[in-house]
Amino acid sequence: MKELRSTDLLLTGIRRVHMIGIGGSGMCPLAEILHSKGYILSGSDNNEGDTLNRIKALGIKVYMGHNPGNVHGAELVVYSAAISEDNPERVEAKRVGIPTMERSKLLGALTRYYDNVIGVCGTHGKTTTSSMITQILYLNKMEPSAVIGGKLPIINSNGICGKSDILVCESCEFVNTFLEMSPDISVLLNIDNDHLDFFKTMENLVNSFKSFVSMSKTAFYNGDDPLVVGAVSEIEAKKISFGLSESNTYYADNLRPSKFGFAFDAFKDGVKLISFDLKVPGRHNVLNALAAIAVCDFLGVSAEGIKSAIEDFRGAGRRFEFYGEVDGFMLADDYAHHPTEIAATLSAAHDLNYNKVIAVFQPFTFSRTALLKDDFIKALSIADKVILTPIMGSREINTYGISSEDIAVGLDNCTCVKDFGEAVTAIRNIADKGDIVITMGGGDVYKIAHLISGK
């Protein structure tokens, strides 16, 4: 076992753990892992759902609602970042002296219990790449455990608990939570100007990624991204590059549009491995696939096994997720909330065979919208028509005086709406047969797609 950190000791010598918000997408897979390791769990949540049903099916006691008595008998209480300090269960745990641990620290602690932790980091593509790696390993009987930021359809969950020593972790840089982890294999996809409300400067952001990959024994990195190359230049880990340039260890050549995405030939050290035909659109997904191919080849999965699994991959939840046709137009949803992601998603949509690309965008956080306003305008201009909802502030107060209308003034063919009901009406008025409508954003804009599709 790896060297434990001080907070990890909260898991030693105890059996009973209570998890507040156990049905959350980030908490559910951690509950499954703890359960598999023999801990006696209980949990609480306010909302029924698939993840909560999955937890209940394991025989874990679940309380609906947050009440002080729920924590009694627990030796440790775990809570997600969404659970405030004045939550009655956190308050009661503190009152009676039960230790508490935030979810990211629990995930970090669990990475010390696996010998092959794959930490996938980067500004964009973490969920897709983590999902691809998990699907390849799962379908090739490698029995991985995984904690992913989106639902992977083949397991119908954000995570899975396998029997091997492999743990695939989506590793988020926000407020440096990924530095709680101990990766054996790191994957650095890209570095872009996000979360600067926390990092303040690009130098700080790059140094944070550098700190993460420095903890690993083997680092896979995007050799086409100058900031990534700079971040890994001085680390001691074994370094393996991937990208579209032939200078990389793993690279793609002969890219050609296919029915659902791009087909390409994958090479390793100049020797062709095999050809792939992706079922997820966009050039950015070629890079995500290359990262997954490189990692799984390194872990011993055959080229044929990788090909079969990755060609069966049709995306993670909210990553260019197709909802199907509605009144003749195609409806899709994507988590894109940064200008680079929006540009990649809209460009991928234009690569497909639709008449018009209609973007329905919900800006996420006031600070990001204010800082990157001009970049949002440039990215959204790729769409033929744009519908903007109000900004979702999330954790922030609008001290920036920013609004969606400030983006709209820089766009042609843009409509601002007051709420999701108006957005649905606008979509039905604007979209024609043969168009594609994509709801985009890091908040709850996907609810618009649900309202239209009835799903």
Side-chain angles (χ1 to χ4, degrees):
M1 185 185 295
K2 302 167 187 174
E3 183 178 352
L4 298 181
R5 301 183 187 180
S6 58
T7 52
D8 301 353
L9 299 178
L10 292 174
L11 285 173
T12 62
I14 67 165
R15 294 191 68 209
R16 297 183 178 273
V17 179
H18 180 78
M19 304 181 76
I20 310 174
I22 195 169
S25 60
M27 291 284 268
C28 176
L30 301 187
E32 291 188 59
I33 291 172
L34 287 177
H35 177 76
S36 74
K37 293 187 176 298
Y39 289 89
I40 299 172
L41 299 186
S42 63
S44 59
D45 213 293
N46 284 327
N47 302 300
E48 297 281 2
D50 291 342
T51 52
L52 209 59
N53 291 336
R54 189 180 177 102
I55 291 296
K56 291 177 180 177
L58 295 173
I60 295 170
K61 174 65 176 177
V62 175
Y63 302 96
M64 295 311 299
H66 300 310
N67 298 296
N70 293 346
V71 305
H72 292 169
E75 297 168 281
L76 174 68
V77 171
V78 178
Y79 58 93
S80 69
I83 303 299
S84 63
E85 193 173 356
D86 61 357
N87 176 275
E89 295 184 13
R90 285 187 65 182
V91 171
E92 181 69 1
K94 183 177 181 180
R95 187 187 73 81
V96 300
I98 303 172
T100 61
M101 177 186 283
E102 198 271 325
R103 175 202 170 272
S104 65
K105 291 189 179 294
L106 173 60
L107 175 58
L110 290 176
T111 64
R112 258 83 75 188
Y113 287 81
Y114 287 82
D115 292 330
N116 276 297
V117 175
I118 304 166
V120 181
C121 69
T123 308
H124 317 295
K126 293 184 292 291
T127 298
T128 296
T129 306
S130 300
S131 298
M132 285 179 168
I133 292 171
T134 301
Q135 176 149 320
I136 294 167
L137 297 176
Y138 177 78
L139 292 179
N140 282 278
K141 313 300 182 185
M142 300 284 280
E143 300 199 48
S145 296
V147 180
I148 310 168
K151 183 181 286 187
L152 180 58
I154 62 164
I155 59 174
N156 194 35
S157 175
N158 289 59
I160 191 170
C161 184
K163 297 178 181 178
S164 74
D165 65 353
I166 299 173
L167 173 62
V168 183
C169 286
E170 179 171 337
S171 308
C172 182
E173 74 278 12
F174 180 61
V175 299
N176 277 330
T177 53
F178 66 169
L179 299 185
E180 300 289 345
M181 302 180 187
S182 293
D184 299 283
I185 297 170
S186 61
V187 184
L188 180 48
L189 299 168
N190 43 63
I191 300 177
D192 207 347
N193 57 345
D194 202 9
H195 299 310
L196 293 184
D197 54 323
F198 172 76
F199 290 105
K200 307 303 181 187
T201 68
M202 287 299 294
E203 181 181 8
N204 290 340
L205 177 61
V206 171
N207 284 337
S208 186
F209 282 113
K210 180 179 179 179
S211 295
F212 181 78
V213 297
S214 294
M215 291 189 286
S216 62
K217 301 169 189 171
T218 305
F220 291 84
Y221 69 97
N222 181 349
D224 295 344
D225 185 320
L227 290 177
V228 168
V229 173
V232 304
S233 62
E234 298 177 359
I235 67 170
E236 296 180 0
K238 178 180 180 180
K239 294 179 282 190
I240 302 172
S241 64
F242 61 88
L244 300 183
S245 168
E246 293 182 8
S247 61
N248 293 294
T249 304
Y250 291 86
Y251 65 90
D253 198 7
N254 193 24
L255 270 68
R256 55 236 183 239
S258 187
K259 185 174 182 180
F260 298 103
F262 277 94
F264 64 93
D265 301 330
F267 288 78
K268 177 185 178 182
D269 293 323
V271 178
K272 182 178 175 180
L273 284 175
I274 205 162
S275 296
F276 293 90
D277 189 352
L278 299 183
K279 303 302 187 296
V280 284
R283 288 179 177 270
H284 59 290
N285 276 320
V286 175
L287 283 170
N288 293 335
L290 277 172
I293 291 163
V295 170
C296 294
D297 178 66
F298 178 78
L299 292 174
V301 182
S302 69
E304 292 77 12
I306 296 172
K307 176 182 174 69
S308 176
I310 213 165
E311 290 189 348
D312 194 41
F313 180 79
R314 284 166 171 77
R318 297 220 62 214
R319 271 65 182 180
F320 217 118
E321 182 177 3
F322 286 98
Y323 278 69
E325 283 196 3
V326 178
D327 298 332
F329 63 83
M330 178 60 71
L331 181 64
D333 176 65
D334 195 275
Y335 187 68
H337 58 285
H338 183 280
T340 301
E341 297 166 348
I342 292 167
T345 296
L346 295 177
S347 296
H350 273 296
D351 287 335
L352 303 175
N353 190 28
Y354 295 102
N355 295 333
K356 296 193 304 292
V357 174
I358 301 168
V360 183
F361 179 56
Q362 178 192 48
F364 189 65
T365 75
F366 301 114
S367 59
R368 181 186 287 115
T369 308
L371 180 66
L372 304 177
K373 183 193 72 174
D374 292 341
D375 295 325
F376 278 119
I377 292 171
K378 182 177 179 181
L380 287 166
S381 66
I382 296 172
D384 297 295
K385 295 180 182 293
V386 178
I387 298 170
L388 293 176
T389 76
I391 299 168
M392 184 174 188
S394 183
R395 57 191 176 269
E396 297 179 342
I397 297 172
N398 189 6
T399 58
Y400 303 86
I402 190 75
S403 70
S404 294
E405 283 75 11
D406 294 317
I407 296 174
V409 295
L411 293 169
D412 297 326
N413 297 318
C414 181
T415 302
C416 286
V417 297
K418 295 179 181 178
D419 53 37
F420 288 175
E422 280 194 11
V424 171
T425 301
I427 290 167
R428 294 197 179 279
N429 288 337
I430 292 171
D432 297 317
K433 184 176 180 180
D435 294 344
I436 183 169
V437 175
I438 310 174
T439 54
M440 297 188 298
D444 59 353
V445 68
Y446 61 87
K447 292 178 180 177
I448 296 173
H450 290 182
L451 288 170
I452 293 176
S453 66
K455 293 184 179 180

Short mmCIF file of all heavy atoms in Angstrom, two decimals, residues 239-289:
data_model
loop_
_atom_site.label_atom_id
_atom_site.label_comp_id
_atom_site.label_asym_id
_atom_site.label_seq_id
_atom_site.Cartn_x
_atom_site.Cartn_y
_atom_site.Cartn_z
N LYS A 239 7.59 9.47 -19.44
CA LYS A 239 6.69 10.30 -20.23
C LYS A 239 6.39 9.68 -21.58
O LYS A 239 7.31 9.25 -22.29
CB LYS A 239 7.30 11.69 -20.41
CG LYS A 239 7.41 12.48 -19.11
CD LYS A 239 8.04 13.84 -19.30
CE LYS A 239 9.54 13.75 -19.44
NZ LYS A 239 10.20 15.08 -19.40
N ILE A 240 5.11 9.64 -21.92
CA ILE A 240 4.65 9.07 -23.19
C ILE A 240 3.69 10.05 -23.83
O ILE A 240 2.66 10.41 -23.23
CB ILE A 240 3.96 7.71 -22.98
CG1 ILE A 240 4.92 6.71 -22.28
CG2 ILE A 240 3.47 7.14 -24.31
CD1 ILE A 240 4.26 5.42 -21.88
N SER A 241 3.97 10.50 -25.03
CA SER A 241 3.15 11.53 -25.66
C SER A 241 2.14 10.95 -26.64
O SER A 241 2.31 9.86 -27.19
CB SER A 241 4.06 12.53 -26.40
OG SER A 241 4.75 11.89 -27.46
N PHE A 242 1.07 11.71 -26.84
CA PHE A 242 0.07 11.38 -27.86
C PHE A 242 -0.36 12.67 -28.53
O PHE A 242 -0.22 13.77 -27.96
CB PHE A 242 -1.14 10.66 -27.23
CG PHE A 242 -1.88 11.48 -26.20
CD1 PHE A 242 -2.90 12.35 -26.56
CD2 PHE A 242 -1.53 11.41 -24.86
CE1 PHE A 242 -3.56 13.12 -25.62
CE2 PHE A 242 -2.19 12.17 -23.89
CZ PHE A 242 -3.20 13.03 -24.27
N GLY A 243 -0.88 12.58 -29.75
CA GLY A 243 -1.31 13.77 -30.47
C GLY A 243 -1.48 13.49 -31.95
O GLY A 243 -1.38 12.34 -32.40
N LEU A 244 -1.69 14.54 -32.71
CA LEU A 244 -1.87 14.39 -34.15
C LEU A 244 -0.54 14.51 -34.90
O LEU A 244 -0.43 14.07 -36.04
CB LEU A 244 -2.84 15.44 -34.67
CG LEU A 244 -4.25 15.40 -34.07
CD1 LEU A 244 -5.14 16.46 -34.72
CD2 LEU A 244 -4.88 14.01 -34.22
N SER A 245 0.47 15.06 -34.26
CA SER A 245 1.78 15.20 -34.89
C SER A 245 2.54 13.87 -34.84
O SER A 245 2.49 13.13 -33.85
CB SER A 245 2.59 16.28 -34.17
OG SER A 245 3.94 16.24 -34.58
N GLU A 246 3.29 13.60 -35.90
CA GLU A 246 4.06 12.36 -35.97
C GLU A 246 5.22 12.33 -34.98
O GLU A 246 5.86 11.29 -34.80
CB GLU A 246 4.59 12.15 -37.39
CG GLU A 246 3.50 11.88 -38.41
CD GLU A 246 4.06 11.61 -39.81
OE1 GLU A 246 5.30 11.48 -39.93
OE2 GLU A 246 3.26 11.53 -40.76
N SER A 247 5.50 13.44 -34.34
CA SER A 247 6.57 13.47 -33.35
C SER A 247 6.17 12.80 -32.04
O SER A 247 7.01 12.54 -31.18
CB SER A 247 6.99 14.92 -33.06
OG SER A 247 5.88 15.66 -32.55
N ASN A 248 4.87 12.51 -31.87
CA ASN A 248 4.39 11.87 -30.65
C ASN A 248 4.58 10.36 -30.69
O ASN A 248 4.64 9.76 -31.76
CB ASN A 248 2.89 12.18 -30.45
CG ASN A 248 2.64 13.64 -30.17
OD1 ASN A 248 3.05 14.15 -29.13
ND2 ASN A 248 1.97 14.33 -31.10
N THR A 249 4.65 9.75 -29.51
CA THR A 249 4.75 8.30 -29.43
C THR A 249 3.53 7.65 -30.06
O THR A 249 3.64 6.73 -30.87
CB THR A 249 4.88 7.84 -27.96
OG1 THR A 249 5.99 8.51 -27.35
CG2 THR A 249 5.09 6.33 -27.88
N TYR A 250 2.35 8.12 -29.66
CA TYR A 250 1.09 7.66 -30.26
C TYR A 250 0.51 8.82 -31.07
O TYR A 250 0.40 9.94 -30.55
CB TYR A 250 0.08 7.26 -29.18
CG TYR A 250 0.45 6.00 -28.42
CD1 TYR A 250 1.29 6.06 -27.31
CD2 TYR A 250 -0.07 4.76 -28.79
CE1 TYR A 250 1.63 4.92 -26.60
CE2 TYR A 250 0.25 3.61 -28.08
CZ TYR A 250 1.10 3.69 -26.99
OH TYR A 250 1.43 2.56 -26.29
N TYR A 251 0.17 8.58 -32.32
CA TYR A 251 -0.41 9.65 -33.12
C TYR A 251 -1.44 9.09 -34.10
O TYR A 251 -1.47 7.88 -34.39
CB TYR A 251 0.67 10.45 -33.86
CG TYR A 251 1.46 9.70 -34.90
CD1 TYR A 251 1.04 9.66 -36.24
CD2 TYR A 251 2.64 9.04 -34.56
CE1 TYR A 251 1.77 8.98 -37.20
CE2 TYR A 251 3.38 8.36 -35.51
CZ TYR A 251 2.95 8.33 -36.83
OH TYR A 251 3.68 7.66 -37.78
N ALA A 252 -2.29 9.99 -34.59
CA ALA A 252 -3.32 9.63 -35.55
C ALA A 252 -2.97 10.19 -36.92
O ALA A 252 -2.45 11.30 -37.03
CB ALA A 252 -4.67 10.16 -35.10
N ASP A 253 -3.27 9.42 -37.94
CA ASP A 253 -3.03 9.86 -39.31
C ASP A 253 -4.22 9.43 -40.16
O ASP A 253 -5.03 8.59 -39.75
CB ASP A 253 -1.73 9.26 -39.83
CG ASP A 253 -1.19 10.00 -41.07
OD1 ASP A 253 -1.77 11.05 -41.41
OD2 ASP A 253 -0.22 9.51 -41.67
N ASN A 254 -4.31 10.03 -41.35
CA ASN A 254 -5.36 9.68 -42.30
C ASN A 254 -6.75 9.89 -41.71
O ASN A 254 -7.63 9.04 -41.83
CB ASN A 254 -5.19 8.22 -42.78
CG ASN A 254 -6.06 7.91 -44.00
OD1 ASN A 254 -6.44 8.79 -44.76
ND2 ASN A 254 -6.39 6.63 -44.15
N LEU A 255 -6.95 11.04 -41.06
CA LEU A 255 -8.26 11.36 -40.52
C LEU A 255 -9.25 11.58 -41.65
O LEU A 255 -8.94 12.25 -42.64
CB LEU A 255 -8.20 12.63 -39.66
CG LEU A 255 -7.91 12.47 -38.18
CD1 LEU A 255 -6.48 11.99 -37.96
CD2 LEU A 255 -8.16 13.76 -37.42
N ARG A 256 -10.44 11.00 -41.51
CA ARG A 256 -11.47 11.19 -42.52
C ARG A 256 -12.84 11.16 -41.85
O ARG A 256 -13.07 10.37 -40.91
CB ARG A 256 -11.39 10.12 -43.59
CG ARG A 256 -11.45 8.69 -43.06
CD ARG A 256 -10.27 7.86 -43.47
NE ARG A 256 -10.37 6.47 -43.01
CZ ARG A 256 -9.47 5.92 -42.21
NH1 ARG A 256 -8.44 6.61 -41.76
NH2 ARG A 256 -9.58 4.65 -41.87
N PRO A 257 -13.75 12.03 -42.29
CA PRO A 257 -15.09 12.06 -41.71
C PRO A 257 -15.79 10.72 -41.92
O PRO A 257 -15.71 10.11 -42.98
CB PRO A 257 -15.79 13.18 -42.47
CG PRO A 257 -14.69 14.00 -43.05
CD PRO A 257 -13.58 13.04 -43.34
N SER A 258 -16.48 10.28 -40.88
CA SER A 258 -17.25 9.06 -40.95
C SER A 258 -18.70 9.38 -40.62
O SER A 258 -19.07 10.56 -40.49
CB SER A 258 -16.68 8.02 -39.99
OG SER A 258 -17.30 6.77 -40.16
N LYS A 259 -19.52 8.39 -40.42
CA LYS A 259 -20.95 8.62 -40.23
C LYS A 259 -21.25 9.36 -38.93
O LYS A 259 -22.09 10.26 -38.88
CB LYS A 259 -21.71 7.29 -40.25
CG LYS A 259 -23.22 7.45 -40.17
CD LYS A 259 -23.94 6.13 -40.34
CE LYS A 259 -25.45 6.33 -40.30
NZ LYS A 259 -26.18 5.05 -40.45
N PHE A 260 -20.54 9.00 -37.84
CA PHE A 260 -20.81 9.58 -36.54
C PHE A 260 -19.66 10.40 -35.98
O PHE A 260 -19.81 11.10 -34.98
CB PHE A 260 -21.17 8.48 -35.53
CG PHE A 260 -22.40 7.71 -35.89
CD1 PHE A 260 -22.31 6.45 -36.44
CD2 PHE A 260 -23.66 8.26 -35.69
CE1 PHE A 260 -23.45 5.73 -36.78
CE2 PHE A 260 -24.80 7.56 -36.02
CZ PHE A 260 -24.70 6.29 -36.57
N GLY A 261 -18.49 10.30 -36.57
CA GLY A 261 -17.32 11.01 -36.07
C GLY A 261 -16.21 10.95 -37.10
O GLY A 261 -16.45 11.06 -38.30
N PHE A 262 -14.99 10.75 -36.61
CA PHE A 262 -13.85 10.61 -37.51
C PHE A 262 -13.30 9.20 -37.46
O PHE A 262 -13.28 8.56 -36.41
CB PHE A 262 -12.72 11.58 -37.11
CG PHE A 262 -12.90 12.97 -37.65
CD1 PHE A 262 -13.52 13.94 -36.89
CD2 PHE A 262 -12.44 13.30 -38.92
CE1 PHE A 262 -13.68 15.22 -37.37
CE2 PHE A 262 -12.61 14.58 -39.42
CZ PHE A 262 -13.24 15.55 -38.65
N ALA A 263 -12.88 8.72 -38.61
CA ALA A 263 -12.09 7.49 -38.69
C ALA A 263 -10.63 7.90 -38.82
O ALA A 263 -10.31 8.97 -39.35
CB ALA A 263 -12.53 6.65 -39.89
N PHE A 264 -9.72 7.07 -38.32
CA PHE A 264 -8.29 7.40 -38.40
C PHE A 264 -7.47 6.14 -38.18
O PHE A 264 -7.95 5.11 -37.70
CB PHE A 264 -7.92 8.46 -37.36
CG PHE A 264 -8.09 8.02 -35.92
CD1 PHE A 264 -7.04 7.47 -35.21
CD2 PHE A 264 -9.31 8.18 -35.28
CE1 PHE A 264 -7.20 7.07 -33.89
CE2 PHE A 264 -9.48 7.78 -33.95
CZ PHE A 264 -8.42 7.22 -33.26
N ASP A 265 -6.20 6.25 -38.55
CA ASP A 265 -5.23 5.19 -38.30
C ASP A 265 -4.39 5.60 -37.10
O ASP A 265 -3.89 6.72 -37.04
CB ASP A 265 -4.32 4.97 -39.51
CG ASP A 265 -5.09 4.61 -40.77
OD1 ASP A 265 -6.17 3.99 -40.64
OD2 ASP A 265 -4.63 4.97 -41.86
N ALA A 266 -4.23 4.69 -36.13
CA ALA A 266 -3.43 4.97 -34.94
C ALA A 266 -2.05 4.35 -35.09
O ALA A 266 -1.91 3.18 -35.50
CB ALA A 266 -4.12 4.42 -33.70
N PHE A 267 -1.04 5.13 -34.77
CA PHE A 267 0.35 4.68 -34.86
C PHE A 267 1.03 4.75 -33.50
O PHE A 267 0.71 5.60 -32.67
CB PHE A 267 1.13 5.57 -35.85
CG PHE A 267 0.76 5.37 -37.29
CD1 PHE A 267 -0.41 5.93 -37.80
CD2 PHE A 267 1.57 4.62 -38.13
CE1 PHE A 267 -0.75 5.74 -39.13
CE2 PHE A 267 1.23 4.44 -39.46
CZ PHE A 267 0.08 5.00 -39.97
N LYS A 268 1.97 3.86 -33.30
CA LYS A 268 2.83 3.89 -32.12
C LYS A 268 4.27 3.79 -32.59
O LYS A 268 4.66 2.83 -33.28
CB LYS A 268 2.51 2.73 -31.18
CG LYS A 268 3.43 2.66 -29.96
CD LYS A 268 3.16 1.42 -29.12
CE LYS A 268 4.10 1.33 -27.94
NZ LYS A 268 3.88 0.10 -27.13
N ASP A 269 5.06 4.80 -32.26
CA ASP A 269 6.47 4.85 -32.68
C ASP A 269 6.61 4.64 -34.19
O ASP A 269 7.51 3.94 -34.66
CB ASP A 269 7.30 3.80 -31.93
CG ASP A 269 7.42 4.12 -30.44
OD1 ASP A 269 7.53 5.31 -30.11
OD2 ASP A 269 7.38 3.18 -29.64
N GLY A 270 5.69 5.23 -34.96
CA GLY A 270 5.76 5.17 -36.41
C GLY A 270 5.20 3.91 -37.03
O GLY A 270 5.17 3.78 -38.26
N VAL A 271 4.76 2.96 -36.21
CA VAL A 271 4.22 1.69 -36.72
C VAL A 271 2.71 1.68 -36.51
O VAL A 271 2.22 1.95 -35.40
CB VAL A 271 4.86 0.49 -36.00
CG1 VAL A 271 4.25 -0.82 -36.50
CG2 VAL A 271 6.37 0.49 -36.19
N LYS A 272 1.97 1.36 -37.55
CA LYS A 272 0.51 1.37 -37.45
C LYS A 272 0.03 0.29 -36.49
O LYS A 272 0.40 -0.89 -36.61
CB LYS A 272 -0.12 1.17 -38.82
CG LYS A 272 -1.66 1.22 -38.81
CD LYS A 272 -2.23 1.07 -40.21
CE LYS A 272 -3.75 0.99 -40.17
NZ LYS A 272 -4.35 0.85 -41.51
N LEU A 273 -0.81 0.70 -35.54
CA LEU A 273 -1.44 -0.26 -34.63
C LEU A 273 -2.69 -0.85 -35.26
O LEU A 273 -2.80 -2.07 -35.43
CB LEU A 273 -1.83 0.44 -33.32
CG LEU A 273 -0.73 0.76 -32.30
CD1 LEU A 273 -1.32 1.56 -31.14
CD2 LEU A 273 -0.11 -0.54 -31.78
N ILE A 274 -3.64 0.02 -35.60
CA ILE A 274 -4.91 -0.43 -36.15
C ILE A 274 -5.72 0.81 -36.55
O ILE A 274 -5.40 1.92 -36.13
CB ILE A 274 -5.68 -1.29 -35.11
CG1 ILE A 274 -6.66 -2.26 -35.78
CG2 ILE A 274 -6.37 -0.42 -34.07
CD1 ILE A 274 -7.10 -3.40 -34.86
N SER A 275 -6.77 0.64 -37.33
CA SER A 275 -7.65 1.74 -37.71
C SER A 275 -8.86 1.79 -36.79
O SER A 275 -9.34 0.75 -36.31
CB SER A 275 -8.11 1.57 -39.15
OG SER A 275 -7.02 1.64 -40.04
N PHE A 276 -9.35 3.00 -36.56
CA PHE A 276 -10.50 3.19 -35.69
C PHE A 276 -11.56 4.02 -36.41
O PHE A 276 -11.24 4.89 -37.21
CB PHE A 276 -10.10 3.92 -34.40
CG PHE A 276 -9.19 3.12 -33.51
CD1 PHE A 276 -7.81 3.21 -33.65
CD2 PHE A 276 -9.71 2.28 -32.54
CE1 PHE A 276 -6.97 2.46 -32.84
CE2 PHE A 276 -8.88 1.54 -31.72
CZ PHE A 276 -7.50 1.64 -31.86
N ASP A 277 -12.81 3.74 -36.07
CA ASP A 277 -13.94 4.50 -36.61
C ASP A 277 -14.79 4.94 -35.42
O ASP A 277 -15.58 4.17 -34.87
CB ASP A 277 -14.76 3.62 -37.56
CG ASP A 277 -15.82 4.41 -38.32
OD1 ASP A 277 -16.02 5.59 -38.00
OD2 ASP A 277 -16.46 3.82 -39.22
N LEU A 278 -14.62 6.20 -34.99
CA LEU A 278 -15.28 6.67 -33.78
C LEU A 278 -16.76 6.90 -33.98
O LEU A 278 -17.21 7.27 -35.06
CB LEU A 278 -14.62 7.97 -33.30
CG LEU A 278 -13.15 7.92 -32.92
CD1 LEU A 278 -12.69 9.28 -32.40
CD2 LEU A 278 -12.88 6.83 -31.88
N LYS A 279 -17.50 6.71 -32.90
CA LYS A 279 -18.95 6.97 -32.91
C LYS A 279 -19.28 8.23 -32.13
O LYS A 279 -20.44 8.47 -31.78
CB LYS A 279 -19.69 5.77 -32.30
CG LYS A 279 -19.43 4.44 -33.00
CD LYS A 279 -19.79 4.47 -34.47
CE LYS A 279 -19.69 3.09 -35.11
NZ LYS A 279 -18.32 2.55 -35.10
N VAL A 280 -18.26 9.03 -31.82
CA VAL A 280 -18.46 10.34 -31.18
C VAL A 280 -17.82 11.39 -32.07
O VAL A 280 -16.71 11.21 -32.56
CB VAL A 280 -17.86 10.38 -29.76
CG1 VAL A 280 -18.74 9.63 -28.78
CG2 VAL A 280 -16.45 9.82 -29.73
N PRO A 281 -18.52 12.51 -32.32
CA PRO A 281 -18.05 13.49 -33.32
C PRO A 281 -16.96 14.40 -32.80
O PRO A 281 -16.76 14.58 -31.60
CB PRO A 281 -19.32 14.29 -33.64
CG PRO A 281 -20.12 14.20 -32.39
CD PRO A 281 -19.85 12.86 -31.81
N GLY A 282 -16.21 14.98 -33.73
CA GLY A 282 -15.26 16.03 -33.40
C GLY A 282 -13.81 15.59 -33.41
O GLY A 282 -13.46 14.49 -32.97
N ARG A 283 -12.94 16.47 -33.91
CA ARG A 283 -11.50 16.20 -33.89
C ARG A 283 -10.96 16.08 -32.48
O ARG A 283 -10.01 15.34 -32.22
CB ARG A 283 -10.75 17.31 -34.64
CG ARG A 283 -10.94 17.29 -36.15
CD ARG A 283 -10.20 18.41 -36.84
NE ARG A 283 -10.36 18.32 -38.29
CZ ARG A 283 -9.53 17.66 -39.09
NH1 ARG A 283 -8.48 17.06 -38.57
NH2 ARG A 283 -9.75 17.62 -40.39
N HIS A 284 -11.56 16.82 -31.54
CA HIS A 284 -11.10 16.73 -30.16
C HIS A 284 -11.25 15.32 -29.59
O HIS A 284 -10.47 14.89 -28.74
CB HIS A 284 -11.85 17.74 -29.27
CG HIS A 284 -13.34 17.55 -29.25
ND1 HIS A 284 -14.14 17.82 -30.33
CD2 HIS A 284 -14.17 17.14 -28.26
CE1 HIS A 284 -15.39 17.58 -30.02
NE2 HIS A 284 -15.45 17.15 -28.77
N ASN A 285 -12.26 14.60 -30.10
CA ASN A 285 -12.44 13.23 -29.61
C ASN A 285 -11.43 12.26 -30.21
O ASN A 285 -11.23 11.17 -29.66
CB ASN A 285 -13.87 12.76 -29.87
CG ASN A 285 -14.82 13.22 -28.78
OD1 ASN A 285 -14.46 13.21 -27.60
ND2 ASN A 285 -16.02 13.63 -29.16
N VAL A 286 -10.79 12.64 -31.30
CA VAL A 286 -9.66 11.84 -31.80
C VAL A 286 -8.53 11.89 -30.78
O VAL A 286 -7.91 10.86 -30.46
CB VAL A 286 -9.19 12.35 -33.18
CG1 VAL A 286 -7.95 11.58 -33.63
CG2 VAL A 286 -10.30 12.21 -34.22
N LEU A 287 -8.27 13.07 -30.24
CA LEU A 287 -7.23 13.20 -29.21
C LEU A 287 -7.61 12.46 -27.94
O LEU A 287 -6.77 11.78 -27.33
CB LEU A 287 -6.99 14.68 -28.90
CG LEU A 287 -6.17 15.46 -29.92
CD1 LEU A 287 -6.22 16.95 -29.61
CD2 LEU A 287 -4.72 14.97 -29.93
N ASN A 288 -8.88 12.57 -27.53
CA ASN A 288 -9.33 11.83 -26.35
C ASN A 288 -9.16 10.33 -26.56
O ASN A 288 -8.71 9.60 -25.66
CB ASN A 288 -10.79 12.15 -26.04
CG ASN A 288 -10.99 13.58 -25.61
OD1 ASN A 288 -10.07 14.23 -25.10
ND2 ASN A 288 -12.19 14.10 -25.81
N ALA A 289 -9.52 9.87 -27.76
CA ALA A 289 -9.38 8.45 -28.07
C ALA A 289 -7.92 8.02 -28.07
O ALA A 289 -7.58 6.94 -27.58
CB ALA A 289 -10.03 8.14 -29.42
#
